[in-house]
Amino acid sequence: MLKSKTFLKKTRAGGVMKIVREHYLRDDIGCGAAGCTACCGAHEGPALEPQPQDPASSLCPQPHYLLPDTNVLLHQIVSAWRPGTWASVASSLRLPGSLETYVEQEQGENANDRNDRAIRVAAKWYNEHLKKMSADNQLQVIFITNDRKNKEKAVEEGIPAFTCEEYVKSLTANPELIDRLACLSEEGNEIESGKIIFSEHLPLSKLQQGIKSGTYLQGTFRASRENYLEATVWIHGDSEENKEIILQGLKHLNRAIHEDIVAVELLPKSQWVAPSSVVLHDEGQNEDDVEKEEEREQMLKTAVSENMLKPTGRVVGIIKRNWRPYCGMLSKSDIKESRRHLFTPADKRIPRIRIETRQASTLEGRRIIVAIDGWPRNSRYPNGHFVKNLGDVGEKETETEVLLLEHDVPHQPFSQAVLSFLPKMPWGITEKDMKNREDLRHLCICSVDPPGCTDIDDALHCRELENGNLEVGVHIADVSHFIRPGNALDQESARRGTTVYLCEKRIDMVPELLSSNLCSLKCDVDRLAFSCIWEMNHSAEILKTKFTKSVINSKASLTYAEAQLRIDSANMRDDITTSLRGLNKLAKILKKKRIEKGALTLSSPEVRFHMDSETHDPIDLQTKELRETNSMVEEFMLLANISVAKKIHEEFSEHALLRKHPAPPPSNYEILVKAARSRNLEIKTDTAKSLAESLDQAESPTFPYLNTLLRILATRCMMQAVYFCSGMDNDFHHYGLASPIYTHFTSPIRRYADVIVHRLLAVAIGADCTYPELTDKHKLADICKNLNYRHKMAQYAQRASVAFHTQLFFKSKGRVSEEAYILFVRKNAIVVLIPKYGLEGTVFFEEKDKPNPRLIYDDEIPSLKIEDTVFHVFDKVKVKIMLDSSNLQHQKIRMSLVEPQIPGISISPDDISNMNLNGPEKKKMKLEK
Amino acid sequence: MAGLELLSDQGYRVDGRRAGELRKIQARMGVFAQADGSAYIEQGNTKALAVVYGPHEIRGSRARALPDRALVNCQYSSATFSTGERKRRPHGDRKSCEMGLQLRQTFEAAILTQLHPRSQIDIYVQVLQADGGTYAACVNAATLAVLDAGIPMRDFVCACSAGFVDGTALADLSHVEEAAGGPQLALALLPASGQIALLEMDARLHEDHLEQVLEAAAQAAQDVHILLDRVVRQHVREASILLGD
């Protein structure tokens, strides 16, 4: 049947357009119920369960399908998460394009009413249709809506209809399901205080008008981790000024939550503030302390010089909420039998959320997931509902799950669809594989990796040619041979972007079969590789570069230590050892050249845990050791990456995937320069080369660790290196490596960027065919964006994992005193680094409910004067480390000052007995000196 | 119209069709008595009228006559009321010139022109309502009109457009789908032999996808042929009844 719709539309130019559209109503859309003969299987896609397995409901005892209306589906989809309970929901929606259920908009009926009516017609049709299926069929379709009028009309028409709440309450088997209902009912919004705290959000149309005219600015809201009353908004767009706007105070934040897209209004200059360096956490249990809030806000506004003031604004409206389910813990209400509780998210940038639950006592001490439903104007906290229980706090599995969820690391097992694209085992190299491939199995290739590495993605060789030159080859696992563009495996690895290494776990980017077997360049097996082969002379100048797909057979997989031993030992003369020696010699020359060009050698303290093989608890902690062989492998990887970058950019100037490291703005270095000056050293930061040189010269005979500290600080000044598409940018420079062009080619097993680069290179040398997405720079830019995000998140997850294991380590170790160096000086704290553990921590000098010591902060030097003692950056101190379990959610390493001793601040080394860290009680201080 | 979903997850298009389905086609032959051949076709909301005169002596300059075959003269025009916005469309503007040229190329390939040397065949096409696929509608209408005039042809010429959305080829694009700006391909096919009389494409399409789109267009053109064939047979049956055979 054909329906034509005709309407008039006004065009932008002011003319009137007559639009005629036709719409075909189909008679071949099946109902989707399995075994329905009337539709003769016309339905495609997900089908209804033949016999709905819904839990018994007291309202409708016979088996039934649910038909939710759009609003219910949108808001309650989280409760549908639990497999089995609501599984029949989504597939039951019958398309409105069907002949029997088509509903025409009536005169005077608005679109919403029409849609409601269409759903009712569909429900009615379903009920009649299912009855037709077989006479004794008890199946029923139940209509779920939260719209009262809609429900009344449905009941009038003889359709069984309930509100969502009614239905869920009737499910006798799952009483906990009711906690998961998003509280949208009006009575849920009535909060005790009833006082309006926040100003109203403007409607979207007004915001858009304001943004167009420039009165409001649109940006991403980023809450501060350290201070819950402060946030910044990153303004979208290209304008240089007002890039970052500060928001201060609860009212100005106006219910925006981290990551939301908001519209802000700039305040007049007289009200501008500077970012405060105070650390503040929202800890009040009480909900009515709005006045106290204001007091705290006053505290932030400290007198500062004019030039420190930054553009300040307030949120006038939310353009797009970016809420997701949050992990965290329940802070049980003090009032007994109260059903409303506050939930504290693990991420400190997210405000606490009020939820309603009857199972508070079972959820206490557990990690749970909560979703936000809304934030009414009169509520201090947003309202949410309980979603999922993850497990006990402190359990390693729970904590790992939390940190993966919080850092948005996809970690589910690979789906069947993904696994179906894996090669079939047993796998062997076939004739077809050998096409466009060079046989390099005769070469003496070996791999050098950290101990215990199972995903070996690079191997090396070096041999002398007849003409006296050296041939050096870098062989990289040919992952792009297995991951074909566009299939599910490719999409999943593109989504994951990177392999995430946690302390005791690896979250693979590609399934295990590839990562640890078929792609891993293990010794003594034939493996497919992508080789980059140079001809070099003895002074490491590249004479010829060749790229080829190849088959290799690695002769040995060595660890860094083993390779080092071979190089150093006097009596080993086999092929592998000579090859390694040749590589090592060239690597040293390459490194020297690179440093001459101005590459930076930076430092960051890295630690490795020794795990107990049984319990996987950390038993010891060790800073990573660096050998010559580490830098040997690194050097050739850099060389390969640079060579490949040049090649793919030459071939695909518009859509090569490259990696750049922007030079940091000079202001980033301020802290480094100031810190060095306090030690009478000068750090030049105008170019990378001068920075590298002045860092090399910055030595102090009395303080050997100073140089490392300076390098650690310099690392903090750097920008993030990012992937980008060459057609979308014109600055390719890699600052840290002092290379004009760079990419990632050498680790395709654990980075998706390398897979793309492999594909580009394969096309460039004619070894593989191209596909449309590869040469689409916008698609490539999207991939880059995702990769950059995943890499950043993976890094954070790794750090969080290290932090968690450090806690476990100190939990077993008890309290220790260690030497530390001051890295930064803050207004009310110092940040110290303990070289022995590579551990960084903050020593606070202000505590709640205690008279504040006299603190004088000098931003220029920078230094902090406490009573009579002055702290400078790089000062050596002694701190006591212990695990602070007073806050179960954020168990943290707590440090307190031991030396130098300051009366009332520091604690004496042996004064442990009268401290109780397991409770919120205050510490008793012993006055000394 | 931002974010218009041309192809839903369930595989339905904006107007409820599936990817390979044509719009409803209705056609009539012999709509005018004074012309040698005429036809009217509706493809969904696209409506076209074709009139054929000839073969006859060359009109105008004799120099245009071809010694070995007939001259095919095509003129395309569209009505002022054919689109949403009322617009005067003078004869001889670029668009109609181009369309005329394309039609001419199409029918030179299909009509057995060598049977009528030094003569002329005129094909006039007018679009009364344009809702996408005007070229295809014109070709299909003209085919019927040429058949109606009894001019010998190698085969029917059946045309259909096709587009490409989200990895799927869509047949017989409507105006909404055309306006979305994806690649679109117009194909005129001699269905019996599968020979291509004309193939035109605007916008960029990756080589790898071309075959898929071409396939969809060809299949659609074959479907059009079945329908046109039915119309012709029906017309002939009616005519023969009228003649009293």
Side-chain angles (χ1 to χ4, degrees):
Chain A
M1 195 169 94
L2 195 67
K3 275 276 166 196
S4 237
K5 194 158 73 173
T6 309
F7 56 93
L8 295 168
K9 198 172 108 180
K10 207 173 150 210
T11 60
R12 208 170 287 171
V16 174
M17 267 230 281
K18 183 174 182 185
I19 292 181
V20 182
R21 258 190 231 142
E22 53 179 355
H23 191 95
Y24 293 85
L25 298 181
R26 311 194 64 96
D27 53 5
D28 64 344
I29 303 177
C31 67
C36 171
T37 46
C39 307
C40 38
H43 185 81
E44 293 156 16
L48 291 176
E49 297 166 20
Q51 204 63 39
Q53 302 287 315
D54 281 329
S57 160
S58 54
L59 278 174
C60 27
Q62 58 280 70
H64 52 271
Y65 295 117
L66 297 179
L67 182 76
D69 77 352
T70 330
N71 277 331
V72 172
L73 196 64
L74 278 179
H75 294 296
Q76 308 293 0
I77 194 76
V78 192
S79 18
W81 260 16
R82 241 179 88 111
T85 43
W86 286 48
S88 51
V89 170
S91 52
S92 67
L93 264 180
R94 190 173 151 91
L95 281 169
S98 170
L99 189 59
E100 296 98 327
T101 52
Y102 180 75
V103 170
E104 204 164 354
Q105 191 159 352
E106 279 167 7
Q107 200 94 46
E109 186 181 44
N110 67 24
N112 270 335
D113 287 344
R114 190 214 88 107
N115 289 343
D116 285 345
R117 194 155 59 86
I119 297 174
R120 285 201 303 274
V121 170
K124 202 168 180 181
W125 179 85
Y126 252 107
N127 272 332
E128 279 162 19
H129 181 81
L130 289 174
K131 244 178 233 146
K132 250 188 275 169
M133 229 166 91
S134 61
D136 57 318
N137 205 329
Q138 293 293 312
L139 280 178
Q140 228 186 353
V141 167
I142 290 179
F143 180 47
I144 306 283
T145 179
N146 277 344
D147 185 345
R148 201 181 310 137
K149 259 196 216 142
N150 198 359
K151 190 193 146 194
E152 276 166 17
K153 275 189 193 153
V155 173
E156 248 170 59
E157 288 167 31
I159 307 160
F162 303 106
T163 66
C164 197
E165 215 180 327
E166 279 171 353
Y167 179 75
V168 173
K169 270 187 184 153
S170 77
L171 295 176
T172 41
N174 300 49
E176 84 276 4
L177 216 53
I178 193 145
D179 283 348
R180 302 190 195 195
L181 276 182
C183 53
L184 286 168
S185 50
E186 279 104 44
E187 60 261 60
N189 292 351
E190 280 167 24
I191 304 310
E192 300 81 284
S193 67
K195 198 163 97 188
I196 285 168
I197 307 174
F198 298 102
S199 54
E200 204 164 355
H201 286 155
L202 297 178
L204 199 58
S205 56
K206 248 188 194 162
L207 293 180
Q208 272 159 349
Q209 245 172 27
I211 289 164
K212 235 178 226 165
S213 65
T215 42
Y216 303 141
L217 295 161
Q218 179 179 348
T220 314
F221 183 89
R222 310 201 143 269
S224 154
R225 253 177 234 279
E226 288 171 339
N227 186 341
Y228 76 98
L229 289 175
E230 199 172 281
T232 48
V233 172
W234 286 90
I235 301 304
H236 302 174
D238 304 323
S239 69
E240 277 306 306
E241 49 169 356
N242 298 342
K243 228 17 207 163
E244 190 187 337
I245 292 176
I246 294 189
L247 311 174
Q248 226 172 46
L250 219 47
K251 275 181 191 152
H252 287 170
L253 299 183
N254 200 359
R255 292 171 285 162
I257 290 171
H258 186 63
E259 295 273 274
D260 284 349
I261 312 271
V262 296
V264 289
E265 178 186 44
L266 270 183
L267 295 174
K269 264 202 173 124
S270 57
Q271 290 179 40
W272 283 16
V273 295
S276 68
S277 37
V278 181
V279 179
L280 258 187
H281 294 306
D282 185 10
E283 272 162 351
Q285 179 65 255
N286 207 336
E287 292 177 0
D288 305 313
D289 50 0
V290 184
E291 285 79 20
K292 238 184 245 168
E293 231 60 84
E294 274 158 19
E295 253 169 59
R296 283 198 186 171
E297 278 164 29
Q298 282 307 317
M299 200 173 113
L300 301 177
K301 290 178 189 123
T302 38
V304 263
S305 52
E306 277 297 308
N307 53 6
M308 291 280 289
L309 294 177
K310 291 260 173 72
T312 308
R314 68 182 187 91
V315 172
V316 287
I318 310 281
I319 292 163
K320 186 172 170 277
R321 289 285 193 192
N322 265 330
W323 292 342
R324 58 185 173 91
Y326 300 100
C327 294
M329 283 180 71
L330 198 69
S331 330
K332 212 176 151 194
S333 169
D334 293 337
I335 310 154
K336 254 193 190 162
E337 284 169 29
S338 164
R339 292 217 313 257
R340 293 209 178 102
H341 303 276
L342 275 180
F343 161 84
T344 316
D347 190 340
K348 287 185 192 148
R349 291 171 299 193
I350 309 294
R352 295 199 286 170
I353 302 165
R354 184 186 296 109
I355 63 167
E356 201 169 313
T357 177
R358 296 166 185 188
Q359 17 173 5
S361 40
T362 48
L363 292 181
E364 210 178 10
R366 301 282 183 108
R367 295 268 181 189
I368 58 173
I369 298 182
V370 159
I372 302 183
D373 296 328
W375 196 341
R377 282 174 65 196
N378 51 6
S379 161
R380 166 76 177 76
Y381 298 109
N383 293 330
H385 68 272
F386 164 74
V387 175
K388 194 179 169 191
N389 184 349
L390 291 175
D392 279 329
V393 160
E395 295 255 316
K396 230 173 310 159
E397 284 79 44
T398 315
E399 297 297 326
T400 311
E401 176 86 22
V402 167
L403 77 89
L404 289 175
L405 279 174
E406 274 302 296
H407 293 99
D408 197 12
V409 177
H411 60 282
Q412 301 79 9
F414 289 96
S415 69
Q416 266 313 310
V418 171
L419 295 176
S420 69
F421 287 98
L422 289 177
K424 301 279 169 293
M425 293 302 278
W427 174 85
I429 296 166
T430 61
E431 273 301 300
K432 217 173 112 208
D433 296 337
M434 289 305 291
K435 217 181 94 195
N436 297 323
R437 224 170 254 282
E438 217 172 300
D439 193 344
L440 300 178
R441 280 178 276 203
H442 58 279
L443 291 177
C444 182
I445 294 168
C446 65
S447 62
V448 185
D449 283 283
C453 178
T454 59
D455 49 348
I456 304 168
D457 38 24
D458 50 84
L460 299 156
H461 89 273
C462 169
R463 63 170 179 176
E464 198 151 339
L465 295 173
E466 279 163 17
N467 59 9
N469 288 333
L470 291 168
E471 182 194 83
V472 178
V474 167
H475 312 275
I476 308 297
D478 191 5
V479 178
S480 62
H481 176 83
F482 297 101
I483 303 185
R484 301 312 298 167
N487 67 23
L489 176 58
D490 181 48
Q491 281 165 5
E492 179 63 20
S493 12
R495 191 172 78 90
R496 296 191 177 211
T498 175
T499 294
V500 183
Y501 294 88
L502 303 182
C503 286
E504 84 298 350
K505 204 175 170 183
R506 188 178 80 194
I507 317 290
D508 276 326
M509 179 184 86
V510 295
E512 173 120 29
L513 177 68
L514 290 182
S515 70
S516 312
N517 189 358
L518 296 186
C519 288
S520 182
L521 303 176
K522 297 192 286 190
C523 60
D524 301 325
V525 280
D526 289 352
R527 287 285 176 254
L528 301 178
F530 209 138
S531 303
C532 173
I533 297 167
W534 300 280
E535 189 178 328
M536 288 187 182
N537 60 19
H538 284 269
S539 46
E541 279 157 9
I542 299 172
L543 305 172
K544 235 195 256 166
T545 313
K546 188 177 86 177
F547 305 100
T548 177
K549 290 220 170 188
S550 61
V551 181
I552 61 161
N553 189 324
S554 169
K555 298 290 178 287
S557 344
L558 307 172
T559 65
Y560 289 121
E562 280 166 6
Q564 190 68 51
L565 273 179
R566 275 174 186 258
I567 292 171
D568 294 343
S569 82
N571 46 15
M572 288 187 84
R573 304 228 178 282
D574 57 301
D575 277 352
I576 296 172
T577 314
T578 35
S579 177
L580 282 173
R581 285 197 188 122
L583 288 168
N584 199 24
K585 203 184 89 191
L586 288 173
K588 279 187 190 157
I589 307 171
L590 284 171
K591 185 166 188 183
K592 203 170 134 236
K593 276 191 198 163
R594 213 162 49 81
I595 288 174
E596 267 165 22
K597 267 201 267 166
L600 297 172
T601 332
L602 298 171
S603 175
S604 58
E606 272 189 89
V607 288
R608 237 192 131 78
F609 289 93
H610 284 278
M611 298 286 183
D612 188 313
S613 53
E614 295 275 307
T615 60
H616 294 289
D617 280 333
I619 34 183
D620 200 5
L621 178 130
Q622 184 188 42
T623 44
K624 264 187 194 160
E625 219 174 316
L626 286 179
R627 292 192 181 79
E628 238 175 28
T629 42
N630 287 55
S631 96
M632 172 185 95
V633 173
E634 189 191 333
E635 220 47 61
F636 283 106
M637 294 306 132
L638 292 178
L639 194 64
N641 285 338
I642 293 170
S643 295
V644 171
K646 277 183 195 149
K647 176 78 184 174
I648 59 172
H649 182 245
E650 212 171 80
E651 202 75 20
F652 303 102
S653 57
E654 279 295 296
H655 38 258
L657 192 153
L658 301 174
R659 189 168 172 84
K660 68 171 174 180
H661 184 204
S667 59
N668 276 23
Y669 284 126
E670 248 168 53
I671 189 153
L672 175 70
V673 174
K674 275 181 193 168
R677 202 178 291 142
S678 69
R679 292 275 157 184
N680 294 325
L681 291 169
E682 199 190 352
I683 300 284
K684 289 200 199 82
T685 57
D686 37 347
T687 62
K689 191 168 158 57
S690 62
L691 175 66
E693 275 168 7
S694 51
L695 275 176
D696 284 339
Q697 284 157 9
E699 298 268 359
S700 159
T702 53
F703 188 4
Y705 199 66
L706 178 66
N707 191 270
T708 316
L709 281 175
L710 279 171
R711 285 181 200 275
I712 291 173
L713 260 193
T715 315
R716 303 282 164 92
C717 303
M718 294 297 153
M719 308 281 281
Q720 266 290 329
V722 287
Y723 295 111
F724 69 103
C725 167
S726 61
M728 310 287 270
D729 209 327
N730 40 28
D731 170 32
F732 296 178
H733 195 75
H734 197 291
Y735 181 80
L737 296 171
S739 169
I741 191 164
Y742 191 68
T743 192
H744 270 164
F745 168 71
T746 54
S747 302
I749 302 182
R750 59 187 176 87
R751 289 188 306 232
Y752 187 75
D754 303 49
V755 177
I756 296 278
V757 170
H758 273 229
R759 286 179 187 161
L760 287 167
L761 186 64
V763 172
I765 62 167
D768 208 342
C769 55
T770 180
Y771 59 101
E773 279 79 35
L774 193 65
T775 49
D776 184 335
K777 64 178 181 179
H778 296 284
K779 290 233 167 86
L780 207 55
D782 287 344
I783 291 176
C784 289
K785 209 172 135 198
N786 180 45
L787 289 179
N788 288 331
Y789 171 72
R790 294 289 178 199
H791 274 267
K792 199 172 70 191
M793 282 334 215
Q795 241 173 34
Y796 290 158
Q798 266 150 35
R799 273 185 225 159
S801 173
V802 168
F804 174 63
H805 280 82
T806 316
Q807 284 167 22
L808 284 183
F809 174 68
F810 282 106
K811 198 173 185 177
S812 58
K813 200 152 168 130
R815 303 180 176 111
V816 275
S817 295
E818 286 297 340
E819 274 179 9
Y821 297 98
I822 298 179
L823 267 188
F824 302 104
V825 176
R826 298 256 186 266
K827 225 172 185 176
N828 59 351
I830 53 172
V831 179
V832 297
L833 176 86
I834 300 160
K836 188 175 168 192
Y837 302 118
L839 177 70
E840 204 181 305
T842 313
V843 181
F844 289 98
F845 294 118
E846 274 174 353
E847 269 175 70
K848 267 189 296 173
D849 317 318
K850 225 178 70 170
N852 285 343
R854 193 157 46 83
L855 298 172
I856 300 162
Y857 175 70
D858 187 344
D859 188 54
E860 283 308 304
I861 314 249
S863 68
L864 179 68
K865 192 172 176 189
I866 306 161
E867 304 292 332
D868 296 318
T869 322
V870 187
F871 289 96
H872 292 282
V873 175
F874 302 146
D875 277 351
K876 192 174 180 178
V877 292
K878 202 165 192 180
V879 293
K880 183 179 289 295
I881 313 162
M882 55 221 143
L883 187 69
D884 180 359
S885 322
S886 57
N887 181 347
L888 261 179
Q889 163 120 300
H890 297 283
Q891 286 197 350
K892 56 191 170 196
I893 300 293
R894 181 134 163 186
M895 298 191 182
S896 25
L897 199 62
V898 178
E899 264 176 24
Q901 292 182 339
I902 305 166
I905 301 288
S906 61
I907 51 170
S908 84
D910 44 48
D911 178 23
I912 289 169
S913 52
N914 50 5
M915 289 179 10
N916 185 356
L917 283 165
N918 295 324
E921 288 105 309
K922 285 155 281 171
K923 281 181 273 181
K924 263 191 203 160
M925 288 302 149
K926 197 166 162 187
L927 291 172
E928 281 195 28
K929 209 175 185 180
Chain B
M1 232 14 130
L4 181 73
E5 193 185 38
L6 289 182
L7 192 68
S8 74
D9 292 340
Q10 289 84 10
Y12 296 111
R13 290 156 68 172
V14 186
D15 52 10
R17 285 183 289 161
R18 280 186 214 275
E21 284 176 341
L22 294 174
R23 290 176 289 177
K24 185 173 184 162
I25 294 185
Q26 282 176 312
R28 247 182 325 143
M29 289 168 76
V31 283
F32 294 124
Q34 70 272 38
D36 292 319
S38 59
Y40 170 74
I41 195 166
E42 284 184 6
Q43 284 184 256
N45 277 334
T46 303
K47 293 165 191 174
L49 197 58
V51 188
V52 171
Y53 294 96
H56 54 74
E57 256 180 75
I58 297 274
R59 304 242 163 90
S61 161
R62 296 244 158 213
R64 281 163 64 221
L66 301 166
D68 56 338
R69 57 193 163 96
L71 177 83
V72 179
N73 173 39
C74 292
Q75 264 185 24
Y76 163 91
S77 61
S78 69
T80 47
F81 48 82
S82 65
T83 51
E85 222 166 344
R86 185 171 270 268
K87 197 173 166 190
R88 231 179 74 76
R89 290 160 212 280
H91 277 287
D93 67 334
R94 263 190 55 183
K95 200 187 149 214
S96 42
C97 277
E98 192 190 343
M99 191 67 101
L101 206 64
Q102 285 175 351
L103 286 171
R104 180 176 166 176
Q105 284 170 353
T106 314
F107 282 93
E108 273 179 352
I111 297 174
L112 297 169
T113 47
Q114 66 274 23
L115 296 179
H116 310 282
R118 312 188 63 79
S119 52
Q120 179 178 355
I121 298 167
D122 291 319
I123 303 175
Y124 300 115
V125 193
Q126 184 161 40
V127 169
L128 302 177
Q129 194 171 331
D131 185 31
T134 45
Y135 168 77
C138 289
V139 170
N140 296 336
T143 304
L144 292 178
V146 172
L147 282 169
D148 189 36
I151 299 170
M153 288 210 288
R154 284 190 182 82
D155 194 357
F156 280 75
V157 203
C158 297
C160 194
S161 61
F164 190 71
V165 170
D166 297 337
T168 317
L170 306 182
D172 195 11
L173 300 184
S174 70
H175 177 69
V176 182
E177 287 161 338
E178 276 182 1
Q184 57 169 301
L185 176 141
L187 171 78
L189 194 74
L190 304 179
S193 58
Q195 281 176 311
I196 291 172
L198 187 116
L199 177 65
E200 196 214 7
M201 184 159 79
D202 352 339
R204 281 156 55 119
L205 178 71
H206 195 275
E207 192 190 344
D208 293 0
H209 296 145
L210 180 62
E211 203 167 327
Q212 192 191 346
V213 180
L214 206 53
E215 186 90 353
Q219 183 54 48
Q222 294 284 4
D223 294 345
V224 170
H225 173 240
I226 296 171
L227 292 167
L228 295 191
D229 190 59
R230 205 179 289 161
V231 170
V232 173
R233 281 175 200 281
Q234 177 73 25
H235 179 73
V236 171
R237 204 174 301 135
E238 280 168 12
S240 57
I241 289 168
L242 284 178
L243 288 172
D245 272 347

